Amino acid sequence: CVHAIAVSATDQNDRLAVFSNYGLWITLSAPGTDILTTMNGGGYGYVNGTSFAAPIAAGVAALVWAVNPQLSNQQVLDVLKKTADHIGNDGFDSNFGWGRVNAGKAINVAAPPAAAPAPTPPPAPAPAPAPAVLPAQRGRGTLGGVQPGKRQ
């Protein structure tokens, strides 16, 4: 399938789990042993299986889409492959595909660049100085050139 992701299961030592599928169709790997989950009849228990590895890989894909919903399905897959931890051979191998999913690295790569901070507005101009008040001229009997009591 073109739009399917095949997931193999790893164990607690990052080795291929003994029950896991493998082959050239594997895209990624994810933890699949000793996964804590809810149990039939209530309570919690530890289980094994690729049925637990696949939802972990799907959850990482969902986190990638959550931080960048503009990505296409192919771009999400590319992020998962690019950020997977190579626990087998470098690049692709038939046990782990492109590697074990790494949620932290995937989110960091998928997050859109932070917007540049808004430019700081220039400072407000300084208030204009108050007009100078000239002292009244003494001895001439004028206020600003007008003699008191006389019309101009």
Side-chain angles (χ1 to χ4, degrees):
C1 281
V2 175
H3 299 289
I5 298 174
V7 180
S8 65
T10 60
D11 66 15
Q12 60 272 30
N13 297 310
D14 270 344
R15 291 183 295 213
L16 186 68
V18 295
F19 55 80
S20 182
N21 290 324
Y22 59 92
L24 296 177
W25 61 86
I26 298 296
T27 310
L28 295 163
S29 62
T33 60
D34 295 327
I35 306 298
L36 182 63
T37 188
T38 56
M39 302 299 289
N40 284 334
Y44 297 90
Y46 290 91
V47 295
N48 303 315
T50 53
S51 296
F52 296 94
I56 290 173
V60 175
L63 290 171
V64 167
W65 252 320
V67 298
N68 192 343
Q70 304 303 315
L71 296 177
S72 69
N73 61 344
Q74 185 60 52
Q75 290 170 318
V76 170
L77 177 57
D78 291 343
V79 167
L80 295 178
K81 291 177 359 181
K82 177 181 175 180
T83 59
D85 291 329
H86 298 288
I87 55 177
N89 298 327
D90 281 343
F92 179 85
D93 70 68
S94 60
N95 284 341
F96 307 106
W98 293 99
R100 183 187 17 80
V101 292
N102 184 318
K105 287 184 353 186
I107 290 168
N108 288 333
V109 166
T120 304
V133 177
L134 298 175
Q137 294 180 348
R138 294 180 187 242
R140 294 198 173 179
T142 63
L143 281 174
V146 178
Q147 290 183 345
K150 290 196 174 189
R151 291 189 180 164
Q152 300 238 346

